C-alpha cells in the first residue's frame, strides 16, 4: 500500500511539473516573448505545483466515494462538495502566496478570486476525478484478476490432490493383491515384494503434498513397482528403461509413469501366457520432454484411450497442471501393442510450480 501511494505521488508530481512547463511555454508564446520567461516559469510552475496535493486528495476522496451503482447520487454530492472546497482553497492559496509568487500586481477582491478559481479550476477538478475513477477501477480489476488466478491455482491444486488421492490407493491395492497371489507359493518372493512395496509407500507418503517430483524419483518408484510385478509374473514380464541420466533432475507430475506401466501390465502382459515387454523412454527435444510407455502385448486386451484410472487420471492431472500445453496420445497397433506418448514443457526444479 505504501509503495502504491508513493508511486501515485510520484506520478502526480511528474504530471503537474510537466504541465507547468507546458503552460510556461504556451504563455511565453502568447505574450510573444514580451514577458520575462523567469516570471512566467515562476507563476505557471507554482500554479501547477499547487495541484499536486489537491490531486492526491481527490484520488483519496474518490476511493472513499466512488460513483458506482447504488450510490451514484450520494457519491456525486460528496465529489461536488470536494470540488467546491478545492475551488475555495485554490483562491485562498492565490491570496496567501501572491506576495511571493506575484500572480497579480495588485490582489483582486475575494469575490473576483473565487470567480476566477471557479472558471479555471472547475473542469480540471472534475477531469482529475474522472482519472481517479479510471485508476480505481483498474486497480480493482487487477485485484480481481489476481484473486481469480489464486482461486484457479487453489482449485487446480485441490483437483490434483483429489485425483492423486484416488490414484494412490488404486496402485497400492493392486500391489497388495499381487503380493497376496505370490505369498502362498513363494514366501521369499513375497518378502521381496513387501520390501518393494515399502519403497512405494515411502515415496507415496513423502510426495503426497507435492504436484511434481523429479524424473529420477519417478523412475525409482517405477523400478520398485516393476520389481513387485516381476516377482509375480516372472519371465513373462520384461522391462526396459531408456532415459538419459541428465534428465533425472527434470520435474514431472507425481505418479505419472507408474500408473501407465501398471495399466500396460494389467491389460497387455498379465492376461497373456507369452512373454511380453514394456519399454519406458524419456528424451529431450529442445525445451520439451517426451515420455513414452510402450508394450508389445495383446493390443486387443488394452483398455481404450481415456478408460481406466491410470489413463484417465494421468490426462486429467496433466490438464490441471499444464492447461493446453501438453500432448497425451494413446496409439494401439494390431499385433504390435500400445504406446502412450506424453509431450510436456521441460522444467527444472526451480521452474516447477
Amino acid at each position: 500500500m505504501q509503495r502504491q501511494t508513493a508511486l501515485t505521488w510520484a506520478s502526480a508530481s511528474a504530471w503537474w511539473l510537466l504541465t507547468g512547463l507546458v503552460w510556461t511555454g504556451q504563455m511565453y508564446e502568447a505574450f510573444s516573448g514580451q514577458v520575462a520567461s523567469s516570471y512566467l516559469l515562476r507563476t505557471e510552475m507554482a500554479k501547477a505545483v499547487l495541484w499536486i496535493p489537491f490531486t492526491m486528495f481527490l484520488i483519496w476522496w474518490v476511493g472513499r466515494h466512488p460513483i458506482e451503482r447504488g450510490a451514484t447520487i450520494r457519491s456525486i454530492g460528496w465529489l461536488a462538495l470536494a470540488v467546491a472546497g478545492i475551488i475555495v482553497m485554490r483562491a485562498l492559496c492565490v491570496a496567501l502566496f501572491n506576495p511571493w509568487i506575484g500572480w497579480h500586481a495588485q490582489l483582486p477582491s475575494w469575490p473576483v478570486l473565487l470567480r476566477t478559481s471557479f472558471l479555471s479550476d472547475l473542469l480540471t477538478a472534475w477531469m482529475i476525478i474522472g482519472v481517479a475513477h479510471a485508476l480505481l477501477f483498474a486497480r480493482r480489476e487487477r485485484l480481481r484478476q489476481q484473486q481469480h488466478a489464486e482461486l484457479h491455482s487453489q482449485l487446480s491444486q485441490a483437483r490434483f490432490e483429489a485425483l492423486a488421492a484416488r490414484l494412490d490407493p488404486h496402485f497400492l491395492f493392486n500391489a497388495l493383491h499381487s503380493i497376496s497371489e505370490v505369498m502362498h507359493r513363494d514366501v521369499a518372493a513375497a518378502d521381496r515384494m513387501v520390501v518393494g512395496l515399502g519403497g512405494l509407500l515411502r515415496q507415496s507418503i513423502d510426495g503426497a503434498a507435492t504436484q511434481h517430483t523429479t524424473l529420477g524419483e519417478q523412475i525409482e518408484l517405477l523400478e520398485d513397482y516393476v520389481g513387485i510385478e516381476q516377482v509375480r509374473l516372472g519371465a513373462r514380464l520384461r522391462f526396459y528403461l531408456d532415459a538419459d541420466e541428465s534428465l533425472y533432475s527434470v520435474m514431472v507430475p507425481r505418479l505419472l509413469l507408474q500408473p501407465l506401466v501398471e495399466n500396460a501390465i494389467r491389460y497387455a502382459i498379465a492376461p497373456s501366457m507369452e512373454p511380453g515387454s514394456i519399454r519406458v523412454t524419456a528424451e529431450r527435444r529442445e525445451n520439451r520432454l517426451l515420455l513414452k510407455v510402450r508394450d508389445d502385448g495383446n493390443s486387443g486386451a488394452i483398455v481404450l484411450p481415456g478408460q481406466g484410472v491410470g489413463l484417465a487420471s494421468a490426462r486429467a492431472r496433466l490438464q490441471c497442471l499444464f492447461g493446453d500445453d501438453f500432448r497425451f496420445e494413446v496409439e494401439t497397433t494390431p499385433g504390435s501393442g500400445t504406446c502412450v506418448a506424453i509431450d510436456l514443457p521441460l522444467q527444472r526444479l526451480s521452474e516447477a510450480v
Side-chain angles (χ1 to χ4, degrees):
M1 180 64 69
Q2 293 180 348
R3 180 181 180 183
Q4 181 67 35
T5 302
L7 180 61
T8 305
W9 270 101
S11 300
S13 300
W15 171 261
W16 282 114
L17 289 174
L18 178 61
T19 300
L21 291 174
V22 172
W23 285 348
T24 301
Q26 290 175 341
M27 295 302 293
Y28 187 80
E29 289 296 324
F31 287 109
S32 302
Q34 296 178 5
V35 179
S37 58
S38 58
Y39 169 79
L40 294 176
L41 181 65
R42 182 176 69 251
T43 55
E44 297 304 314
M45 290 299 292
K47 184 170 66 174
V49 167
L50 281 175
W51 269 113
I52 295 175
F54 293 127
T55 298
M56 294 303 298
F57 168 76
L58 285 174
I59 292 175
W60 172 78
W61 195 253
V62 166
R64 291 177 61 89
H65 305 285
I67 299 175
E68 54 189 356
R69 185 179 300 175
T72 303
I73 302 300
R74 184 175 67 251
S75 297
I76 291 177
W78 282 110
L79 294 172
L81 181 63
V83 171
I86 287 176
I87 290 172
V88 173
M89 289 299 298
R90 293 276 299 179
L92 183 60
C93 287
V94 171
L96 291 176
F97 297 122
N98 188 67
W100 294 276
I101 305 301
W103 285 297
H104 305 281
Q106 183 174 358
L107 190 66
S109 63
W110 178 248
V112 174
L113 286 176
L114 277 178
R115 185 172 63 252
T116 302
S117 179
F118 176 83
L119 294 175
S120 61
D121 299 332
L122 178 66
L123 183 59
T124 302
W126 281 106
M127 289 178 63
I128 293 172
I129 288 173
V131 172
H133 275 87
L135 294 174
L136 175 65
F137 295 146
R139 184 164 60 249
R140 287 181 177 179
E141 180 62 25
R142 286 196 302 271
L143 289 175
R144 277 195 291 266
Q145 290 177 357
Q146 291 174 2
Q147 292 171 352
H148 177 76
E150 291 173 0
L151 289 173
H152 184 270
S153 176
Q154 293 170 2
L155 179 61
S156 296
Q157 174 71 22
R159 186 181 176 205
F160 182 91
E161 291 174 355
L163 289 166
R166 180 188 175 202
L167 192 60
D168 286 353
H170 178 267
F171 86 78
L172 292 175
F173 173 81
N174 285 347
L176 287 171
H177 181 69
S178 297
I179 293 173
S180 68
E181 288 183 6
V182 176
M183 184 175 297
H184 295 291
R185 68 172 186 266
D186 191 339
V187 175
D191 183 68
R192 293 195 301 273
M193 294 173 76
V194 170
V195 172
L197 179 59
L200 288 174
L201 286 169
R202 175 180 57 79
Q203 294 197 46
S204 177
I205 294 171
D206 290 345
T210 62
Q211 292 182 340
H212 292 80
T213 62
T214 63
L215 180 61
E217 291 172 337
Q218 288 270 305
I219 290 174
E220 183 182 347
L221 183 145
L222 197 58
E223 290 174 337
D224 285 336
Y225 179 77
V226 171
I228 293 175
E229 293 298 332
Q230 283 179 326
V231 172
R232 180 172 70 93
L233 298 174
R236 290 163 54 197
L237 172 60
R238 297 189 295 265
F239 178 73
Y240 304 98
L241 176 66
D242 184 11
D244 192 330
E245 290 188 2
S246 65
L247 295 175
Y248 278 25
S249 62
V250 171
M251 303 303 293
V252 294
R254 188 172 74 88
L255 288 175
L256 177 62
L257 293 176
Q258 183 275 334
L260 302 180
V261 172
E262 177 184 346
N263 197 75
I265 293 174
R266 183 178 182 184
Y267 293 102
I269 305 299
S272 175
M273 298 305 298
E274 298 296 326
S277 64
I278 296 176
R279 182 178 297 275
V280 176
T281 62
E283 61 179 303
R284 175 178 181 173
R285 291 185 184 174
E286 298 181 352
N287 62 339
R288 310 290 296 182
L289 175 66
L290 280 76
L291 302 171
K292 290 184 179 180
V293 177
R294 182 188 300 274
D295 68 73
D296 60 1
N298 179 8
S299 61
I302 193 72
V303 294
L304 294 175
Q307 296 180 350
V309 173
L311 293 176
S313 179
R315 189 190 305 273
R317 289 183 299 126
L318 290 172
Q319 183 71 42
C320 282
L321 294 173
F322 300 105
D324 295 327
D325 191 19
F326 78 96
R327 182 172 60 88
F328 185 94
E329 297 178 350
V330 182
E331 180 180 356
T332 300
T333 304
S336 300
T338 299
C339 178
V340 179
I342 302 173
D343 182 342
L344 302 173
L346 193 145
Q347 296 178 317
R348 298 291 177 179
L349 180 59
S350 60
E351 301 171 343
V353 179

